[in-house]
Amino acid sequence: MNDDRPNPDQLLARVVDEESRAQRGRLRIFFGYAAGVGKTYAMLSAGQREKATGVDIVVGYVEPHGRPETEALLAGLDVLPTRSIPYKGTTLREFDLDGALARRPELILVDELAHTNVEGSRHTKRWQDVEELLDAGIDVWTTLNVQHIESLNDVIAQITGVVIRETLPDAVLERADEIELIDLTPEELVDRLQAGKIYIPQQAARALQNFFLRGNLVALRELSLRQAANRLQRDVEEARQERAVLAPWLTTERLLVCVGPSPSSAQIVRSTKRLAVSLGAEWLAVAVNTGSEGAEAERNWAQTGNNLRLAEKLGAETHILIGQSIADTLIKFARERNVSKIVVGQTGLSWWKQKLYGTIIDEFLQKAGNIDIYVVSATEVEPPSVTNRFSETTISWREYSFAAFVVALCGVLGWIAQRFGLAEANIVMIFLAGVAYVANRLGRGPAIAAAVVSVLVFDFGFVPPYLTFAVSDTEYVITFAVMLGIGLLISGLASRQRKQLKISQQQEQRTGQLFRMTRQLSELSGTEFLIRTAGKQLQEIFAGEIVIFSRAATGKLFLRYGEGTSIALTPLNRDVAQWVADNGKIAGAQTDTLPNATALFVPLIGSSGTVGAIGVRPRDANRFLDPDQIRLLETCGSLIALSVERDESVLKAHGAQLQIETEKLRNSLLSAVSHDLRTPLASIAGASSTLATAGDSLPLETRTDLLMTISDEAERLARLVENLLHMTRLSSGKVTIDRQWYPVDDIIGSALTRMERQLVGREIKTSLDDNLPLIHVDSILIEQLLLNLIDNAAKYSPPESIIEVSARGGKNGVVLEVADRGRGFAEGDEEKVFDLFYRGGNEVHDRRGTGIGLAICRAIAEVHGGKIVAMNRPDGGAVVHVELPNQETPPQVVERALESTSL
């Protein structure tokens, strides 16, 4: 079977990615290192060529900066009109996203991808507009300078002394389908600047003295070339995967160093680091776990872990692989990662062993193909002392005793088989089965002992002369040799398989632990719950003490978990945790940085920075000698940091939403109050001013009308203020209901009396059922409810029409209705009319309405346990239906009083 077949998971992931890309538009970025290199010019030139081939192309937004050659390229292209947005006393032009989506061309050109949109636009950044276009299936061409990439912001500021405010996430550049580098030498760019082809003369002079210094331009050009080269390297990797190419494409250098337990491995790692620097190449440090067992193997693996940590400190990407053959495993991995050179150390075997058994270097040279093999010679040095749980060799006599018992049992079974006349070959099989069983159960040492003892027992009991170790026939020597060889082979293979199974189980356990932590953290909200849950999970995973520190707004750490642990009680550990959080690096016990700490500390690094640190002190002091355990801890730290960031983002989003709602409420309130207070105040001021200036010269009828105007507007103003106060009390939830038993007709009569002046000339029809029960309500609130309903009916119905007020007995209380013969509610407004400040969807409505009255009605009905419904009448008009349930049985006192009177 060919083990070099393409990974099916990678093939499936590529198919899924291709399907998702097929539904999106394609993004092409014209990429440069400074303004004026010709990005927009190149984009428009390419656009003209596309248009000539019949492509439906539209210029969404282009900033020509007054350059005639750029403006000339716009001729003949369909240019989308821009949006004009007022901003701080001026009008700014912005890209019209909605217009582009409505036009829906095949290809649209949008200049300046990192541009920040004017306040009031749908998206904050233009790259977000472009993302929406891509999601709609529209291809986009755009321009970008290297200084606008977020990850390079600090580097650019250090080089140029200018902090770039307009940046975009690196992911936008990574998701681009094509990047076209537009390059120009710094000398040519400066010449263009001096010729006035980029900025006007005054701006050009300032630019030449600041940002456009030759040193800045050279550095920016190098950064842009490196970004383009990295993208090309990624495209090469994708092309290899698409074609399932196994051999590496040597388009760039990538080194792999084989790390082992040898004392010289540290020197080989350092040599590889120097080689990688000289070549400007990435490098990987890889160790292979072949599944060897025993104390010596464990000591070797601990030393291998030290060498891997050294490589990681020097900047290597480290990996631990599982395989039986070191050469085969490393070469397969090298082909997957497009490695061009493999670095190995010179073997320490004696010359005769090299001739007899061969070396790993020979295997690499034979199987590497077009991958270069570098052999580094290193002087053997004394390895650093590794104190671990395997430093003392211990023999489990219980295991060896069990192996002896198995051999004895095989001997008994062989004796029985001999009595039944079975051949010696069958007896040999019995002993080999016993060796295989011991190897599978107990490991290599007991299995080797069982193989040797089995040969001796077979010779002693089953080979003539019996009960002696003498051999009468020399052919049995071959039998003994083959039996011993097969026994040793079985023991080696079985023990190695057992070890690899153990490693696989450990990896599965770590995966399961990470899955459980991820699932639990994803289901929780609230930073305190997240931290507590994560701390408990870490205690189970690492079997020891855990502390978790969070970063405060000031940058200082404070303890969030593990208050009573010995880690928290050691003052030095807090300083180590602060250093780890500030520097984003591992430190503490069993490291070379701040090793006096009593725990190992790992930073909690999220997507936007370090949010804290974790301290771990396992009961097994040497647990973190295994590099995989450190990786597991780092992964857990990343999960916790991302979960904390997610929770904080949710809180910020909720706070922002509340702020938006508060702002909307404030604006609506100001709008309503400014209009509805201004109108009555203006009427009152005008009438009173006329009375004050004209005095007795006005006719009596005019003075009376003016006084009535003042009275009406003052009452209207009082009613508005009363509604606002009611709404404030009801919205705050602090209103206290004073429930008493009242007749329904009294409350309706009181409301109509208060509305008498507003209803002059209107026909009011009341309809009350006989034997209406008393209702247990706050009469003031219910009267206010009726006032608002009647006022609303009068406001939105013709003056000559009838307003009907009715009451009837309901299922558990009373039903009130106020109906009119107006235009009714707009379709879909039956629920919305009860929203605060909603004035209805009809095109024509009374602007004197504030949109508060019906909202107050709903609040009053709900605090009484009732409900309110608005609907249109079949024969024209609107009706509002209010149900007020009685929570207690109405008293019968009034009925008894009437009976006694009749007597």
Side-chain angles (χ1 to χ4, degrees):
M1 177 180 286
N2 183 9
D3 292 334
D4 293 334
R5 292 174 301 173
N7 189 319
D9 292 333
Q10 294 177 352
L11 293 176
L12 178 60
R14 188 161 64 248
V15 169
V16 173
D17 181 61
E18 289 174 355
E19 288 181 355
S20 62
R21 286 188 179 185
Q23 298 174 359
R24 276 172 56 94
R26 294 182 59 82
L27 175 62
R28 181 179 182 183
I29 297 178
F30 292 81
F31 188 64
Y33 68 89
V37 297
K39 302 180 300 298
T40 305
Y41 185 90
M43 180 177 69
L44 290 174
S45 298
Q48 289 283 5
R49 291 192 295 271
E50 288 293 310
K51 182 176 177 59
T53 62
V55 174
D56 181 17
I57 181 172
V58 168
V59 177
Y61 184 90
V62 164
E63 188 59 62
H65 294 289
R67 301 165 191 161
E69 64 273 16
T70 303
E71 293 177 350
L73 287 174
L74 290 171
L77 294 177
D78 187 5
V79 179
L80 190 72
T82 57
R83 289 191 309 127
S84 298
I85 301 179
Y87 181 73
K88 294 184 178 180
T90 186
T91 300
L92 301 178
R93 295 187 309 113
E94 282 291 352
F95 169 56
D96 187 1
L97 175 59
D98 291 325
L101 292 172
R103 172 65 172 76
R104 200 175 182 81
E106 293 181 53
L107 172 64
I108 187 168
L109 311 185
V110 183
D111 208 4
E112 298 181 353
L113 183 60
H115 171 74
T116 301
N117 293 331
V118 178
E119 185 177 330
S121 302
R122 183 188 307 174
H123 299 300
T124 306
K125 297 287 188 177
R126 184 166 291 166
W127 66 264
Q128 295 172 308
D129 296 338
V130 169
E131 284 292 322
E132 189 167 344
L133 292 172
L134 295 172
D135 290 337
I138 302 173
D139 294 344
V140 180
W141 288 1
T142 185
T143 61
L144 179 68
N145 282 329
V146 68
Q147 61 263 33
H148 297 296
I149 300 175
E150 177 64 39
S151 62
L152 299 178
N153 191 258
D154 296 338
V155 178
I156 300 296
Q158 182 182 4
I159 294 172
T160 64
V162 178
V163 179
I164 305 299
R165 303 297 180 187
E166 290 187 328
T167 61
L168 53 74
D170 292 51
V172 178
L173 188 65
E174 292 169 1
R175 286 197 298 267
D177 297 279
E178 185 178 352
I179 294 178
E180 182 172 335
L181 180 65
I182 309 301
D183 190 38
L184 198 67
T185 65
E187 291 75 15
E188 291 176 309
L189 182 60
V190 170
D191 291 343
R192 294 197 66 206
L193 187 66
Q194 292 174 340
K197 295 182 178 181
I198 302 177
Y199 298 133
I200 60 176
Q202 293 180 347
Q203 289 180 321
R206 288 196 301 269
L208 286 170
Q209 296 175 1
N210 295 286
F211 190 83
F212 279 77
L213 296 174
R214 187 181 185 281
N216 293 349
L217 297 179
V218 170
L220 292 173
R221 189 186 187 199
E222 180 185 0
L223 288 174
S224 67
L225 291 173
R226 287 187 180 275
Q227 289 291 322
N230 291 338
R231 175 52 187 259
L232 284 174
Q233 183 177 346
R234 195 190 81 179
D235 292 343
V236 169
E237 291 291 336
E238 290 180 354
R240 287 183 67 243
Q241 293 176 7
E242 287 176 3
R243 293 174 54 181
V245 177
L246 300 179
W249 287 356
L250 305 182
T251 56
T252 184
E253 298 290 353
R254 181 174 293 163
L255 278 62
L256 183 150
V257 58
C258 177
V259 177
S262 170
S264 62
S265 277
Q267 295 182 13
I268 298 169
V269 166
R270 296 188 185 97
S271 297
T272 307
K273 167 63 176 178
R274 293 192 295 271
L275 181 60
V277 171
S278 65
L279 296 175
E282 300 178 17
W283 65 296
L284 303 91
V286 183
V288 179
N289 191 336
T290 58
S292 300
E293 283 192 317
E296 183 66 26
E298 298 295 353
R299 281 196 296 271
N300 289 340
W301 189 245
Q303 183 60 41
T304 301
N306 286 339
N307 294 330
L308 282 174
R309 283 196 292 275
L310 172 63
E312 200 167 39
K313 291 176 184 177
L314 295 177
E317 179 185 336
T318 59
H319 294 273
I320 297 176
L321 307 178
I322 299 174
Q324 294 184 359
S325 170
I326 294 177
D328 291 341
T329 305
L330 285 179
I331 289 174
K332 180 180 179 182
F333 180 77
R335 287 172 177 166
E336 291 176 353
R337 295 298 304 270
N338 203 27
V339 169
S340 60
K341 293 176 173 58
I342 296 178
V343 182
V344 295
Q346 188 176 19
T347 179
L349 295 176
S350 58
W351 66 271
W352 65 271
K353 288 184 178 180
Q354 294 183 32
K355 295 295 184 182
L356 183 61
Y357 303 114
T359 66
I360 190 173
I361 297 175
D362 298 331
E363 289 188 64
F364 275 121
L365 293 174
Q366 182 182 359
K367 302 175 181 178
N370 62 344
I371 301 177
D372 297 334
I373 306 298
Y374 281 63
V375 181
V376 178
S377 62
T379 305
E380 292 284 342
V381 296
E382 186 66 24
S385 60
V386 180
T387 304
N388 57 56
R389 57 190 172 188
F390 309 107
S391 59
E392 297 181 0
T393 303
T394 59
I395 297 177
S396 175
W397 294 110
R398 184 176 180 180
E399 292 182 354
Y400 282 88
S401 299
F402 182 77
F405 169 76
V406 172
V407 174
L409 181 61
C410 291
V412 172
L413 294 176
W415 179 79
I416 296 173
Q418 191 180 51
R419 296 281 76 83
F420 281 94
L422 295 180
E424 291 175 350
N426 295 318
I427 300 174
V428 170
M429 293 299 104
I430 293 174
F431 282 102
L432 291 179
V435 172
Y437 177 76
V438 171
N440 187 57
R441 285 290 304 273
L442 304 179
R444 184 164 186 163
I448 293 174
V452 174
V453 174
S454 294
V455 172
L456 296 175
V457 171
F458 179 74
D459 179 21
F460 186 79
F462 301 96
V463 175
Y466 300 113
L467 303 181
T468 68
F469 290 106
V471 179
S472 60
D473 191 346
T474 56
E475 292 182 359
Y476 282 108
V477 175
I478 299 176
T479 302
F480 297 156
V482 173
M483 182 177 175
L484 180 61
I486 293 176
L488 294 176
L489 179 61
I490 291 174
S491 65
L493 293 176
S495 60
R496 180 174 296 178
Q497 191 69 26
R498 185 167 170 263
K499 178 63 175 178
Q500 290 183 344
L501 175 61
K502 181 180 178 181
I503 294 172
S504 300
Q505 289 173 340
Q506 290 174 347
Q507 290 182 338
E508 182 182 3
Q509 182 183 13
R510 286 193 288 269
T511 303
Q513 290 167 342
L514 288 174
F515 172 73
R516 287 192 295 273
M517 173 173 280
T518 303
R519 184 176 62 182
Q520 289 198 10
L521 294 182
S522 65
E523 293 174 351
L524 292 175
S525 60
T527 304
E528 189 65 28
F529 291 110
L530 288 171
I531 295 294
R532 292 290 169 184
T533 301
K536 293 176 181 177
Q537 283 287 315
L538 290 175
Q539 280 183 319
E540 294 179 6
I541 294 173
F542 295 100
E545 292 183 335
I546 302 292
V547 292
I548 301 178
F549 291 90
S550 289
R551 189 189 290 275
T554 58
K556 296 294 182 182
L557 296 186
F558 63 96
L559 188 63
R560 296 290 294 270
Y561 183 83
E563 294 82 357
T565 60
S566 62
I567 306 175
L569 298 177
T570 303
L572 173 64
N573 290 333
R574 187 177 293 271
D575 297 332
V576 176
Q578 186 69 54
W579 186 92
V580 167
D582 292 341
N583 294 274
K585 298 179 180 178
I586 299 176
Q590 298 180 345
T591 69
D592 296 333
T593 306
L594 303 172
N596 294 329
T598 62
L600 177 68
F601 287 88
V602 173
L604 297 177
I605 302 177
S607 58
S608 59
T610 305
V611 300
I614 299 176
V616 183
R617 186 181 184 183
R619 286 191 289 270
D620 181 0
N622 299 290
R623 180 164 189 156
F624 290 117
L625 292 176
D626 183 356
D628 282 344
Q629 291 295 316
I630 297 180
R631 288 195 184 90
L632 177 61
L633 180 58
E634 289 180 309
T635 305
C636 291
S638 298
L639 288 175
I640 296 170
L642 292 174
S643 297
V644 170
E645 283 187 340
R646 170 183 57 80
D647 187 69
E648 291 177 352
S649 298
V650 170
L651 291 176
K652 290 179 181 178
H654 183 63
Q657 186 64 31
L658 288 178
Q659 186 175 0
I660 292 172
E661 294 296 332
T662 302
E663 187 68 18
K664 287 171 60 178
L665 181 63
R666 185 183 69 86
N667 292 337
S668 299
L669 182 60
L670 288 176
S671 175
V673 169
S674 61
H675 181 275
D676 292 283
L677 287 180
R678 184 170 60 247
T679 301
L681 286 175
S683 299
I684 293 172
S688 59
S689 175
T690 301
L691 287 173
T693 55
D696 295 336
S697 61
L698 294 173
L700 178 61
E701 183 179 355
T702 302
R703 291 200 301 266
T704 302
D705 290 341
L706 291 173
L707 289 173
M708 289 298 297
T709 299
I710 293 174
S711 177
D712 291 342
E713 295 299 330
E715 186 174 349
R716 177 186 171 192
L717 187 61
R719 190 162 58 252
L720 173 62
V721 172
E722 186 177 3
N723 274 337
L724 291 173
L725 291 176
H726 274 301
M727 195 68 247
T728 302
R729 291 173 56 214
L730 292 169
S731 298
S732 65
K734 297 180 180 179
V735 63
T736 301
I737 302 177
D738 182 18
R739 290 180 180 269
Q740 299 292 335
W741 292 101
Y742 294 96
V744 178
D745 51 353
D746 285 359
I747 299 177
I748 294 175
S750 177
L752 291 174
T753 300
R754 289 183 58 183
M755 291 290 297
E756 187 174 2
R757 291 183 55 188
Q758 285 76 22
L759 298 175
V760 172
R762 299 295 296 258
E763 181 179 354
I764 307 298
K765 180 181 178 181
T766 59
S767 176
L768 306 178
D769 283 357
D770 297 333
N771 301 321
L772 278 173
L774 300 178
I775 54 175
H776 197 224
V777 295
D778 186 323
S779 62
I780 296 177
L781 292 179
I782 298 302
E783 185 176 323
Q784 184 65 45
L785 180 148
L786 289 170
L787 286 173
N788 289 346
L789 293 181
I790 296 171
D791 180 65
N792 197 69
K795 189 180 299 180
Y796 292 101
S797 62
E800 67 278 2
S801 64
I802 300 175
I803 296 176
E804 302 175 29
V805 181
S806 61
R808 66 177 185 273
K811 185 176 181 181
N812 296 313
V814 172
V815 176
L816 303 177
E817 287 185 349
V818 176
D820 61 56
R821 291 293 180 182
R823 60 179 176 267
F825 300 108
E827 185 177 355
D829 275 2
E830 291 84 352
E831 288 291 335
K832 296 180 182 179
V833 292
F834 296 107
D835 293 340
L836 191 60
F837 300 120
Y838 187 78
R839 302 191 186 192
N842 285 312
E843 295 181 0
V844 180
H845 58 271
D846 190 346
R847 294 300 302 172
R848 303 199 330 166
T850 60
I852 298 177
L854 290 181
I856 292 176
C857 292
R858 180 171 64 178
I860 292 173
E862 289 177 351
V863 297
H864 282 84
K867 61 180 181 180
I868 185 169
V869 179
M871 62 190 76
N872 289 318
R873 304 174 74 179
D875 51 350
V879 59
V880 179
H881 174 98
V882 183
E883 295 183 12
L884 297 174
N886 280 329
Q887 299 178 354
E888 300 177 15
T889 304
Q892 301 296 326
V893 177
V894 175
E895 187 177 344
R896 291 196 192 99
L898 291 174
E899 289 177 357
S900 61
T901 303
S902 63
L903 288 174

